Amino acid sequence: MRADLVDSDLIERVLRTALRRGGDFAEIFVEDRGSRAAVLDQRRVETLGSGHERGAGIRVIAGATTGFAHTADLSEAGLLSAAEAAATAVGERDGRVHEIALGATQRHRTEVGESPVSVDKERVIEQLRRADDVARGAAGSIAQVQVSVGGSTRRLLIANSNGLVVTDEQVRTRFAVACVAEGDGGMQTGYRPFGATGGYELLTDDLIDEAARAAARQAVTKLGARPAPSGDLPVVLAGGTGGILFHEACGHGLEADAVAKEASVYAGRRGERVASPLVTLVDDGTVAGEWGHVAVDDEGHAGTRTVLIENGVLVDYMWDYLRARSAGRGHSGNGRRQGYQYLPMVRMTNTFLLAGDSDAEEIVAQTPYGIYVAQLGGGQVNTTTGDFVFGATSAFLIEGGRITTPLRDCNLIGNGPTILQRVDAVAGDFSMGGPGTCGKNGQQVPVGTGQPTLRLSAVTVGGTAT
Amino acid sequence: MSGLAEQVSEILERVGDDEVMEIYASVGTEVEVKVYDGRVESLSRATSGGLGVRVLGAGVAGSRVGVAWTGSLDGDAIDRAIAEARDNARYASEDEFMTFARPDGVESPGLELTDPSVHSTSLDDKVALAVAAERLVRGDARIRQVESADYSDYDVETVVASTYGVRAWTRRTGSFLSLEAIASDERGDQTGWGLQATRGPVALEPERVAQDAITRATRLLGAVKPPSMRTTVVFSPRSTATLLAIIGTALSGDAVVRGRSIFAGRLGAQVASREVSVLDDPTDARHFGASRYDAEGLACRRNVLIDQGRLAGFVYDTVSARRAATVSTGSAVRGGVAGYPSAGCRALALAAGTGDADTIVRAVGDGVYVDSLSGVHSGVNPISGDFSVGFTGFMIRGGELAEPLREATVASTLQRMLLDVVAVGSDVEWLPGIAAGQTIAIAGVSVGGR
């Protein structure tokens, strides 16, 4: 076993220093992160890059005020100076002497066969080339292929004045294929990423081939696409594609920081019916292997499964340490941060809608006219009003209960609480979607989303055809 | 010479005569304060530095590039990054166009991008700016809540240097004041952002930031969904800046040489209406993105991209310029020490037309006014040109702004929109980000609503 990033005597001294000027909670978050990324663009290995960073963030909480400082210097002098800076930021002087009694270290790690940051580089390049060949082989109209692979390892040590000491080693690996197809009507794009919390061994040839073919197919299909309609229409989201809908429509609004400040349309609505009875939504950091998996969150607390909405009724929000403490309740393992340079805040992990009873094909068959979304892009939400948008990067018209013409890229817009009521069919074909990156207040964290095929009775489609 | 520049020079001096290496390093300090209900909710302070290294390996058919970065300026970390970059270069493809920038004799503009008030202003006074802005907003009876009022600043030095003789040093400071007001009445809630970016805290105006947030939030109260239609759309300066930044991605020589731009193969063509002239000018200090050097250490310069609707040029970094058989326009950008250079815009602006927002709205008569856009990263494809984004704004009736609008989309293609620009205002606003903006009007845009 490797030595811990910082030894326990020093941790105690740092936490004591952090609380020297007052405060009721201090924490040290130490991170050592390695990353590797390679891009094959038009058959050229253009960039093969490696990165490394390590440092510590020190936080002091005094009532409603948080002081924070970070440093890349893990020496005793560096850490004590950061602790002093965090203490000064809080700036009270209550004169109490804080005893720090650290408990036994709890150790976690992602079990991996091969680390994505040390895997043989020749092998990585072979896999990039393989994806390029498969994508080009899928159709003659594929003019450009860009394949990227990346991975990161994150060694963490988190300790706080409540005595908690936790270590974790998180490993993530991601692969993506982007294609451009060229036709008479111009260029169209296709994109397919996949990834997991785990090692490089997850990048099997089968998965790579599947992603390459899917990206190529998406671009080629859109060559024949016509402009999407505009206005309110029924929308069917294919299984595994639309978890981002719930991430935006209500996920962010169920984060306790927005709720506590009544900056969420879901504030104060626990126990109320907020969605169609077909909606049961869960945030679950415990799903091993999934992109948003956390053995422990970035405050050292175990990831948990939280039922947010059950049969349409709002059950609970997501919590970090600070928000749970002020509400006098337990946290839910949702305190996350991009890196040691950042304060943690309430974030989602893997957020998904549970399967229903309908049949996916039946749902389409029972839709006389509407839009079938085969892949969603990103989205954005205003948690206060609940208004959100999400992009469709692969969509089709549904006519007479059949999936027909491909449509050009468009955004869909809706209001969270309204859209949740409009879920009128949920199929049994649950699957998770691709690896997502969620941005909030300038911090990016990996998140998973998932959902079965479902229908929304009406969503505003932002196309150009009338 | 700064300590950072000295450290980078020393690293390069140790490199053998036959090795080609480039270093991009930065070091800076930052302060971030969040205020809630008159009190400090969080206060963060930090000093951080890092370095990105690129090396070139010679090959038969061209050079191979290897890159690595470290989030520390510690000697061991730097040595490790250099070793990694060398090893990575062994695996990259040989590329006849791959090289690093060489000094090109263009002199860097003499820009002052620092404001000493970042250091001379006390922490208490910085906190007071956020407290003042928050108090003003909460003082308005229509405002129900302010999630947080934020003050932040930075002072960062950047060095780019190479064994080809590039030596570029820049230092810039910035300070930001922002908050989001939540307005409320019996019809529901609406939000509005106030944001100001300056080079130092003395130039920040809490009253202006507060008023901006209050106005934007309250005037949307009672907003409704518009009917779906095709009409003339007037874009606010902020939303025009967003559009311009998207157009800027497609004007990157890197995207163009790769065939991933709507402008590829169209140089000299009329791609926009004659009202439209687009300039990228980082030598103009009024731009927040103004800079003395680009990310490869070449002097920044003024580049005309669209001239009265005619596509006049692209922005290039060294490698994309070579692929296009031209020279760098001093437009290399990179996302910090962990990023790689690419060609991009820093300081876009439309040449000023005539008339302010009122004049343009009056001339349009009936249409839609877009105040702010959402879902831009998911709704715009700079390769196909498909454009579909969410917005909040107003109906325009009889030459006046009428009822507020929400939960609606505007859609077209970038190609169509540029050709359909019917008016460009003179009311240029200098905004944070890579583009300034002014009021513009575009005909024939699809609005999606009821």
Side-chain angles (χ1 to χ4, degrees), chain A residues 41 45 50 65-66 121 144 261 380 382 387 408 411 460 462 464, chain B residues 40 84 87-88 93 145 147 191 225 230 258 260 375 386 388 406:
Chain A
D41 198 328
V45 180
S50 319
T65 300
T66 297
K121 293 173 185 172
Q144 299 180 34
K261 290 182 174 173
Q380 189 180 337
N382 178 330
D387 288 348
R408 299 184 68 146
N411 255 324
T460 305
T464 55
Chain B
V40 172
E84 271 290 336
D87 189 60
N88 286 339
S93 298
Q145 179 65 301
E147 222 182 317
T191 61
K225 252 170 117 96
R230 182 163 299 177
R258 291 173 197 273
R260 285 176 208 151
D386 288 327
S388 161
R406 56 172 276 266

PDB file of all heavy atoms in Angstrom, chain A residues 41 45 50 65-66 121 144 261 380 382 387 408 411 460 462 464, chain B residues 40 84 87-88 93 145 147 191 225 230 258 260 375 386 388 406:
ATOM      1  N   ASP A  41      -6.902  12.775 -34.987  1.00  0.00           N
ATOM      2  CA  ASP A  41      -7.742  13.648 -35.796  1.00  0.00           C
ATOM      3  C   ASP A  41      -7.350  13.457 -37.250  1.00  0.00           C
ATOM      4  O   ASP A  41      -6.202  13.697 -37.622  1.00  0.00           O
ATOM      5  CB  ASP A  41      -7.525  15.103 -35.362  1.00  0.00           C
ATOM      6  CG  ASP A  41      -8.654  15.999 -35.841  1.00  0.00           C
ATOM      7  OD1 ASP A  41      -9.212  15.717 -36.920  1.00  0.00           O
ATOM      8  OD2 ASP A  41      -8.974  16.969 -35.142  1.00  0.00           O
ATOM      9  N   VAL A  45      -2.159  11.254 -35.034  1.00  0.00           N
ATOM     10  CA  VAL A  45      -2.118  11.344 -33.577  1.00  0.00           C
ATOM     11  C   VAL A  45      -1.624  12.760 -33.296  1.00  0.00           C
ATOM     12  O   VAL A  45      -0.454  13.058 -33.430  1.00  0.00           O
ATOM     13  CB  VAL A  45      -1.145  10.331 -32.949  1.00  0.00           C
ATOM     14  CG1 VAL A  45      -1.149  10.481 -31.426  1.00  0.00           C
ATOM     15  CG2 VAL A  45      -1.510   8.923 -33.354  1.00  0.00           C
ATOM     16  N   SER A  50      -0.075  14.500 -21.088  1.00  0.00           N
ATOM     17  CA  SER A  50      -0.188  13.983 -19.727  1.00  0.00           C
ATOM     18  C   SER A  50      -0.209  15.170 -18.788  1.00  0.00           C
ATOM     19  O   SER A  50       0.417  16.183 -19.065  1.00  0.00           O
ATOM     20  CB  SER A  50       1.026  13.150 -19.338  1.00  0.00           C
ATOM     21  OG  SER A  50       1.425  12.333 -20.393  1.00  0.00           O
ATOM     22  N   THR A  65     -20.477  31.164   8.010  1.00  0.00           N
ATOM     23  CA  THR A  65     -19.368  31.651   7.181  1.00  0.00           C
ATOM     24  C   THR A  65     -18.328  30.563   6.950  1.00  0.00           C
ATOM     25  O   THR A  65     -17.950  29.846   7.879  1.00  0.00           O
ATOM     26  CB  THR A  65     -18.704  32.865   7.864  1.00  0.00           C
ATOM     27  OG1 THR A  65     -19.685  33.895   8.005  1.00  0.00           O
ATOM     28  CG2 THR A  65     -17.541  33.397   7.039  1.00  0.00           C
ATOM     29  N   THR A  66     -17.865  30.461   5.708  1.00  0.00           N
ATOM     30  CA  THR A  66     -16.829  29.490   5.361  1.00  0.00           C
ATOM     31  C   THR A  66     -15.577  30.220   4.890  1.00  0.00           C
ATOM     32  O   THR A  66     -15.671  31.115   4.043  1.00  0.00           O
ATOM     33  CB  THR A  66     -17.321  28.574   4.225  1.00  0.00           C
ATOM     34  OG1 THR A  66     -18.453  27.848   4.693  1.00  0.00           O
ATOM     35  CG2 THR A  66     -16.230  27.579   3.809  1.00  0.00           C
ATOM     36  N   LYS A 121       1.173   3.219 -24.431  1.00  0.00           N
ATOM     37  CA  LYS A 121       0.716   4.241 -25.377  1.00  0.00           C
ATOM     38  C   LYS A 121       0.470   3.674 -26.780  1.00  0.00           C
ATOM     39  O   LYS A 121      -0.423   4.138 -27.490  1.00  0.00           O
ATOM     40  CB  LYS A 121       1.713   5.403 -25.418  1.00  0.00           C
ATOM     41  CG  LYS A 121       1.757   6.183 -24.103  1.00  0.00           C
ATOM     42  CD  LYS A 121       2.862   7.235 -24.049  1.00  0.00           C
ATOM     43  CE  LYS A 121       2.897   7.879 -22.658  1.00  0.00           C
ATOM     44  NZ  LYS A 121       4.049   8.779 -22.466  1.00  0.00           N
ATOM     45  N   GLN A 144     -14.748  13.112 -42.165  1.00  0.00           N
ATOM     46  CA  GLN A 144     -13.806  13.386 -41.080  1.00  0.00           C
ATOM     47  C   GLN A 144     -14.124  12.526 -39.866  1.00  0.00           C
ATOM     48  O   GLN A 144     -15.288  12.324 -39.537  1.00  0.00           O
ATOM     49  CB  GLN A 144     -13.920  14.839 -40.632  1.00  0.00           C
ATOM     50  CG  GLN A 144     -13.602  15.845 -41.698  1.00  0.00           C
ATOM     51  CD  GLN A 144     -13.750  17.245 -41.149  1.00  0.00           C
ATOM     52  OE1 GLN A 144     -13.481  17.490 -39.973  1.00  0.00           O
ATOM     53  NE2 GLN A 144     -14.188  18.157 -41.976  1.00  0.00           N
ATOM     54  N   LYS A 261     -32.158  28.422  -0.164  1.00  0.00           N
ATOM     55  CA  LYS A 261     -32.292  29.862  -0.415  1.00  0.00           C
ATOM     56  C   LYS A 261     -33.566  30.178  -1.198  1.00  0.00           C
ATOM     57  O   LYS A 261     -33.712  31.281  -1.734  1.00  0.00           O
ATOM     58  CB  LYS A 261     -31.058  30.356  -1.165  1.00  0.00           C
ATOM     59  CG  LYS A 261     -29.829  30.353  -0.267  1.00  0.00           C
ATOM     60  CD  LYS A 261     -28.636  30.889  -0.992  1.00  0.00           C
ATOM     61  CE  LYS A 261     -27.459  31.021  -0.039  1.00  0.00           C
ATOM     62  NZ  LYS A 261     -26.237  31.395  -0.778  1.00  0.00           N
ATOM     63  N   GLN A 380     -29.460  23.222 -20.047  1.00  0.00           N
ATOM     64  CA  GLN A 380     -29.223  24.327 -19.119  1.00  0.00           C
ATOM     65  C   GLN A 380     -30.535  24.633 -18.414  1.00  0.00           C
ATOM     66  O   GLN A 380     -31.599  24.499 -19.008  1.00  0.00           O
ATOM     67  CB  GLN A 380     -28.762  25.553 -19.916  1.00  0.00           C
ATOM     68  CG  GLN A 380     -28.269  26.703 -19.063  1.00  0.00           C
ATOM     69  CD  GLN A 380     -27.822  27.890 -19.921  1.00  0.00           C
ATOM     70  OE1 GLN A 380     -27.479  27.737 -21.079  1.00  0.00           O
ATOM     71  NE2 GLN A 380     -27.820  29.072 -19.340  1.00  0.00           N
ATOM     72  N   ASN A 382     -32.678  27.255 -15.404  1.00  0.00           N
ATOM     73  CA  ASN A 382     -32.794  28.322 -14.419  1.00  0.00           C
ATOM     74  C   ASN A 382     -33.595  27.712 -13.267  1.00  0.00           C
ATOM     75  O   ASN A 382     -34.794  27.493 -13.393  1.00  0.00           O
ATOM     76  CB  ASN A 382     -33.536  29.505 -15.056  1.00  0.00           C
ATOM     77  CG  ASN A 382     -33.751  30.654 -14.081  1.00  0.00           C
ATOM     78  OD1 ASN A 382     -33.871  30.451 -12.875  1.00  0.00           O
ATOM     79  ND2 ASN A 382     -33.793  31.856 -14.610  1.00  0.00           N
ATOM     80  N   ASP A 387     -37.418  27.017 -15.868  1.00  0.00           N
ATOM     81  CA  ASP A 387     -37.316  26.959 -17.327  1.00  0.00           C
ATOM     82  C   ASP A 387     -35.976  26.332 -17.714  1.00  0.00           C
ATOM     83  O   ASP A 387     -34.935  26.691 -17.181  1.00  0.00           O
ATOM     84  CB  ASP A 387     -37.411  28.366 -17.938  1.00  0.00           C
ATOM     85  CG  ASP A 387     -38.829  28.927 -17.862  1.00  0.00           C
ATOM     86  OD1 ASP A 387     -39.757  28.141 -17.543  1.00  0.00           O
ATOM     87  OD2 ASP A 387     -39.007  30.133 -18.101  1.00  0.00           O
ATOM     88  N   ARG A 408     -32.975  18.035 -38.324  1.00  0.00           N
ATOM     89  CA  ARG A 408     -31.739  18.743 -38.004  1.00  0.00           C
ATOM     90  C   ARG A 408     -31.697  19.069 -36.516  1.00  0.00           C
ATOM     91  O   ARG A 408     -32.720  19.071 -35.838  1.00  0.00           O
ATOM     92  CB  ARG A 408     -31.638  20.012 -38.855  1.00  0.00           C
ATOM     93  CG  ARG A 408     -31.613  19.672 -40.350  1.00  0.00           C
ATOM     94  CD  ARG A 408     -31.428  20.899 -41.205  1.00  0.00           C
ATOM     95  NE  ARG A 408     -30.090  21.459 -41.031  1.00  0.00           N
ATOM     96  CZ  ARG A 408     -29.399  22.064 -42.009  1.00  0.00           C
ATOM     97  NH1 ARG A 408     -29.921  22.161 -43.217  1.00  0.00           N
ATOM     98  NH2 ARG A 408     -28.207  22.578 -41.788  1.00  0.00           N
ATOM     99  N   ASN A 411     -32.961  22.664 -30.240  1.00  0.00           N
ATOM    100  CA  ASN A 411     -33.161  22.669 -28.798  1.00  0.00           C
ATOM    101  C   ASN A 411     -34.633  22.466 -28.496  1.00  0.00           C
ATOM    102  O   ASN A 411     -35.499  22.815 -29.302  1.00  0.00           O
ATOM    103  CB  ASN A 411     -32.725  24.024 -28.202  1.00  0.00           C
ATOM    104  CG  ASN A 411     -31.387  23.926 -27.474  1.00  0.00           C
ATOM    105  OD1 ASN A 411     -31.088  22.931 -26.845  1.00  0.00           O
ATOM    106  ND2 ASN A 411     -30.606  24.983 -27.559  1.00  0.00           N
ATOM    107  N   THR A 460     -41.991  22.293 -26.141  1.00  0.00           N
ATOM    108  CA  THR A 460     -41.762  23.265 -27.204  1.00  0.00           C
ATOM    109  C   THR A 460     -40.496  22.899 -27.969  1.00  0.00           C
ATOM    110  O   THR A 460     -39.417  22.813 -27.396  1.00  0.00           O
ATOM    111  CB  THR A 460     -41.629  24.679 -26.633  1.00  0.00           C
ATOM    112  OG1 THR A 460     -42.786  24.943 -25.852  1.00  0.00           O
ATOM    113  CG2 THR A 460     -41.498  25.720 -27.742  1.00  0.00           C
ATOM    114  N   GLY A 462     -37.741  23.748 -30.804  1.00  0.00           N
ATOM    115  CA  GLY A 462     -37.208  24.967 -31.403  1.00  0.00           C
ATOM    116  C   GLY A 462     -36.692  24.769 -32.804  1.00  0.00           C
ATOM    117  O   GLY A 462     -35.519  25.014 -33.083  1.00  0.00           O
ATOM    118  N   THR A 464     -37.289  25.208 -37.256  1.00  0.00           N
ATOM    119  CA  THR A 464     -37.529  26.342 -38.143  1.00  0.00           C
ATOM    120  C   THR A 464     -38.692  26.092 -39.093  1.00  0.00           C
ATOM    121  O   THR A 464     -39.119  26.995 -39.795  1.00  0.00           O
ATOM    122  CB  THR A 464     -36.282  26.657 -38.995  1.00  0.00           C
ATOM    123  OG1 THR A 464     -35.897  25.474 -39.683  1.00  0.00           O
ATOM    124  CG2 THR A 464     -35.136  27.124 -38.127  1.00  0.00           C
TER     125      THR A 464
ATOM    126  N   VAL B  40     -20.650  37.544   5.046  1.00  0.00           N
ATOM    127  CA  VAL B  40     -19.783  36.718   4.204  1.00  0.00           C
ATOM    128  C   VAL B  40     -20.222  35.263   4.342  1.00  0.00           C
ATOM    129  O   VAL B  40     -20.255  34.724   5.451  1.00  0.00           O
ATOM    130  CB  VAL B  40     -18.312  36.849   4.635  1.00  0.00           C
ATOM    131  CG1 VAL B  40     -17.447  35.843   3.872  1.00  0.00           C
ATOM    132  CG2 VAL B  40     -17.823  38.264   4.382  1.00  0.00           C
ATOM    133  N   GLU B  84       7.710  13.477 -19.387  1.00  0.00           N
ATOM    134  CA  GLU B  84       6.458  12.961 -19.975  1.00  0.00           C
ATOM    135  C   GLU B  84       6.255  13.508 -21.385  1.00  0.00           C
ATOM    136  O   GLU B  84       5.858  12.783 -22.289  1.00  0.00           O
ATOM    137  CB  GLU B  84       5.267  13.376 -19.108  1.00  0.00           C
ATOM    138  CG  GLU B  84       4.911  12.397 -17.996  1.00  0.00           C
ATOM    139  CD  GLU B  84       4.305  11.103 -18.541  1.00  0.00           C
ATOM    140  OE1 GLU B  84       3.742  11.102 -19.652  1.00  0.00           O
ATOM    141  OE2 GLU B  84       4.415  10.080 -17.834  1.00  0.00           O
ATOM    142  N   ASP B  87       8.465  11.744 -23.811  1.00  0.00           N
ATOM    143  CA  ASP B  87       7.991  10.395 -24.106  1.00  0.00           C
ATOM    144  C   ASP B  87       6.744  10.448 -25.002  1.00  0.00           C
ATOM    145  O   ASP B  87       6.620   9.673 -25.953  1.00  0.00           O
ATOM    146  CB  ASP B  87       7.688   9.644 -22.805  1.00  0.00           C
ATOM    147  CG  ASP B  87       7.410   8.176 -23.086  1.00  0.00           C
ATOM    148  OD1 ASP B  87       8.316   7.494 -23.628  1.00  0.00           O
ATOM    149  OD2 ASP B  87       6.286   7.713 -22.809  1.00  0.00           O
ATOM    150  N   ASN B  88       5.829  11.388 -24.703  1.00  0.00           N
ATOM    151  CA  ASN B  88       4.616  11.496 -25.518  1.00  0.00           C
ATOM    152  C   ASN B  88       4.944  11.808 -26.972  1.00  0.00           C
ATOM    153  O   ASN B  88       4.259  11.359 -27.891  1.00  0.00           O
ATOM    154  CB  ASN B  88       3.693  12.576 -24.941  1.00  0.00           C
ATOM    155  CG  ASN B  88       3.009  12.120 -23.657  1.00  0.00           C
ATOM    156  OD1 ASN B  88       2.895  10.923 -23.404  1.00  0.00           O
ATOM    157  ND2 ASN B  88       2.565  13.063 -22.843  1.00  0.00           N
ATOM    158  N   SER B  93       1.970  11.455 -34.318  1.00  0.00           N
ATOM    159  CA  SER B  93       2.210  11.251 -35.754  1.00  0.00           C
ATOM    160  C   SER B  93       3.159  12.315 -36.279  1.00  0.00           C
ATOM    161  O   SER B  93       3.154  13.448 -35.820  1.00  0.00           O
ATOM    162  CB  SER B  93       0.898  11.377 -36.531  1.00  0.00           C
ATOM    163  OG  SER B  93      -0.004  10.400 -36.122  1.00  0.00           O
ATOM    164  N   GLN B 145     -35.486  37.614  -3.370  1.00  0.00           N
ATOM    165  CA  GLN B 145     -34.303  36.895  -2.914  1.00  0.00           C
ATOM    166  C   GLN B 145     -33.092  37.214  -3.785  1.00  0.00           C
ATOM    167  O   GLN B 145     -33.231  37.560  -4.962  1.00  0.00           O
ATOM    168  CB  GLN B 145     -34.600  35.375  -2.956  1.00  0.00           C
ATOM    169  CG  GLN B 145     -33.486  34.441  -2.548  1.00  0.00           C
ATOM    170  CD  GLN B 145     -33.089  34.575  -1.086  1.00  0.00           C
ATOM    171  OE1 GLN B 145     -32.683  35.639  -0.635  1.00  0.00           O
ATOM    172  NE2 GLN B 145     -33.202  33.486  -0.340  1.00  0.00           N
ATOM    173  N   GLU B 147     -29.581  35.021  -4.375  1.00  0.00           N
ATOM    174  CA  GLU B 147     -28.954  33.758  -3.966  1.00  0.00           C
ATOM    175  C   GLU B 147     -27.572  34.000  -3.378  1.00  0.00           C
ATOM    176  O   GLU B 147     -27.200  33.437  -2.366  1.00  0.00           O
ATOM    177  CB  GLU B 147     -28.876  32.816  -5.168  1.00  0.00           C
ATOM    178  CG  GLU B 147     -29.245  31.407  -4.796  1.00  0.00           C
ATOM    179  CD  GLU B 147     -29.126  30.442  -5.961  1.00  0.00           C
ATOM    180  OE1 GLU B 147     -29.553  30.788  -7.083  1.00  0.00           O
ATOM    181  OE2 GLU B 147     -28.608  29.341  -5.738  1.00  0.00           O
ATOM    182  N   THR B 191     -35.779  35.845 -12.881  1.00  0.00           N
ATOM    183  CA  THR B 191     -34.434  36.163 -12.416  1.00  0.00           C
ATOM    184  C   THR B 191     -33.739  37.102 -13.399  1.00  0.00           C
ATOM    185  O   THR B 191     -34.066  37.133 -14.579  1.00  0.00           O
ATOM    186  CB  THR B 191     -33.577  34.894 -12.286  1.00  0.00           C
ATOM    187  OG1 THR B 191     -33.472  34.279 -13.573  1.00  0.00           O
ATOM    188  CG2 THR B 191     -34.188  33.917 -11.308  1.00  0.00           C
ATOM    189  N   LYS B 225     -45.513  32.633 -22.972  1.00  0.00           N
ATOM    190  CA  LYS B 225     -44.959  31.963 -24.155  1.00  0.00           C
ATOM    191  C   LYS B 225     -45.512  32.662 -25.392  1.00  0.00           C
ATOM    192  O   LYS B 225     -46.707  32.868 -25.488  1.00  0.00           O
ATOM    193  CB  LYS B 225     -45.476  30.527 -24.170  1.00  0.00           C
ATOM    194  CG  LYS B 225     -44.462  29.467 -23.848  1.00  0.00           C
ATOM    195  CD  LYS B 225     -45.200  28.156 -23.674  1.00  0.00           C
ATOM    196  CE  LYS B 225     -44.728  27.185 -24.738  1.00  0.00           C
ATOM    197  NZ  LYS B 225     -43.685  26.297 -24.247  1.00  0.00           N
ATOM    198  N   ARG B 230     -42.590  33.283 -37.729  1.00  0.00           N
ATOM    199  CA  ARG B 230     -41.323  33.699 -38.315  1.00  0.00           C
ATOM    200  C   ARG B 230     -41.366  35.216 -38.360  1.00  0.00           C
ATOM    201  O   ARG B 230     -42.310  35.798 -38.867  1.00  0.00           O
ATOM    202  CB  ARG B 230     -41.163  33.107 -39.712  1.00  0.00           C
ATOM    203  CG  ARG B 230     -39.825  33.473 -40.332  1.00  0.00           C
ATOM    204  CD  ARG B 230     -39.495  32.570 -41.495  1.00  0.00           C
ATOM    205  NE  ARG B 230     -39.399  31.187 -41.032  1.00  0.00           N
ATOM    206  CZ  ARG B 230     -39.173  30.164 -41.845  1.00  0.00           C
ATOM    207  NH1 ARG B 230     -39.054  30.369 -43.134  1.00  0.00           N
ATOM    208  NH2 ARG B 230     -39.079  28.937 -41.364  1.00  0.00           N
ATOM    209  N   ARG B 258      -9.549  22.375 -41.066  1.00  0.00           N
ATOM    210  CA  ARG B 258     -10.032  21.012 -40.834  1.00  0.00           C
ATOM    211  C   ARG B 258     -11.371  20.765 -41.525  1.00  0.00           C
ATOM    212  O   ARG B 258     -11.961  19.688 -41.376  1.00  0.00           O
ATOM    213  CB  ARG B 258     -10.189  20.760 -39.334  1.00  0.00           C
ATOM    214  CG  ARG B 258      -8.880  20.700 -38.585  1.00  0.00           C
ATOM    215  CD  ARG B 258      -9.129  20.622 -37.077  1.00  0.00           C
ATOM    216  NE  ARG B 258      -7.937  20.961 -36.336  1.00  0.00           N
ATOM    217  CZ  ARG B 258      -6.988  20.089 -36.003  1.00  0.00           C
ATOM    218  NH1 ARG B 258      -7.114  18.831 -36.330  1.00  0.00           N
ATOM    219  NH2 ARG B 258      -5.935  20.478 -35.326  1.00  0.00           N
ATOM    220  N   ARG B 260     -14.145  22.119 -40.671  1.00  0.00           N
ATOM    221  CA  ARG B 260     -15.192  22.054 -39.653  1.00  0.00           C
ATOM    222  C   ARG B 260     -15.767  23.432 -39.357  1.00  0.00           C
ATOM    223  O   ARG B 260     -15.958  23.805 -38.210  1.00  0.00           O
ATOM    224  CB  ARG B 260     -14.627  21.461 -38.361  1.00  0.00           C
ATOM    225  CG  ARG B 260     -14.452  19.976 -38.498  1.00  0.00           C
ATOM    226  CD  ARG B 260     -13.808  19.357 -37.304  1.00  0.00           C
ATOM    227  NE  ARG B 260     -13.111  18.181 -37.753  1.00  0.00           N
ATOM    228  CZ  ARG B 260     -12.037  17.692 -37.182  1.00  0.00           C
ATOM    229  NH1 ARG B 260     -11.530  18.266 -36.108  1.00  0.00           N
ATOM    230  NH2 ARG B 260     -11.464  16.610 -37.667  1.00  0.00           N
ATOM    231  N   GLY B 375     -28.936  27.719 -23.446  1.00  0.00           N
ATOM    232  CA  GLY B 375     -28.756  26.481 -24.209  1.00  0.00           C
ATOM    233  C   GLY B 375     -27.900  26.663 -25.449  1.00  0.00           C
ATOM    234  O   GLY B 375     -28.015  25.911 -26.415  1.00  0.00           O
ATOM    235  N   ASP B 386     -26.576  24.849 -37.917  1.00  0.00           N
ATOM    236  CA  ASP B 386     -27.906  24.805 -37.301  1.00  0.00           C
ATOM    237  C   ASP B 386     -27.904  25.586 -35.992  1.00  0.00           C
ATOM    238  O   ASP B 386     -27.007  25.450 -35.173  1.00  0.00           O
ATOM    239  CB  ASP B 386     -28.330  23.350 -37.045  1.00  0.00           C
ATOM    240  CG  ASP B 386     -28.673  22.633 -38.345  1.00  0.00           C
ATOM    241  OD1 ASP B 386     -29.179  23.307 -39.257  1.00  0.00           O
ATOM    242  OD2 ASP B 386     -28.405  21.426 -38.455  1.00  0.00           O
ATOM    243  N   SER B 388     -30.472  26.860 -32.780  1.00  0.00           N
ATOM    244  CA  SER B 388     -31.762  26.758 -32.098  1.00  0.00           C
ATOM    245  C   SER B 388     -31.506  26.934 -30.615  1.00  0.00           C
ATOM    246  O   SER B 388     -30.909  26.074 -29.976  1.00  0.00           O
ATOM    247  CB  SER B 388     -32.377  25.377 -32.381  1.00  0.00           C
ATOM    248  OG  SER B 388     -33.382  25.062 -31.438  1.00  0.00           O
ATOM    249  N   ARG B 406     -41.106  34.199 -22.263  1.00  0.00           N
ATOM    250  CA  ARG B 406     -40.213  33.177 -21.711  1.00  0.00           C
ATOM    251  C   ARG B 406     -40.552  31.834 -22.356  1.00  0.00           C
ATOM    252  O   ARG B 406     -41.527  31.722 -23.102  1.00  0.00           O
ATOM    253  CB  ARG B 406     -40.376  33.085 -20.203  1.00  0.00           C
ATOM    254  CG  ARG B 406     -41.807  32.818 -19.747  1.00  0.00           C
ATOM    255  CD  ARG B 406     -41.876  32.551 -18.271  1.00  0.00           C
ATOM    256  NE  ARG B 406     -41.581  31.169 -18.007  1.00  0.00           N
ATOM    257  CZ  ARG B 406     -42.525  30.220 -17.901  1.00  0.00           C
ATOM    258  NH1 ARG B 406     -43.795  30.520 -18.055  1.00  0.00           N
ATOM    259  NH2 ARG B 406     -42.191  28.978 -17.657  1.00  0.00           N
TER     260      ARG B 406
END
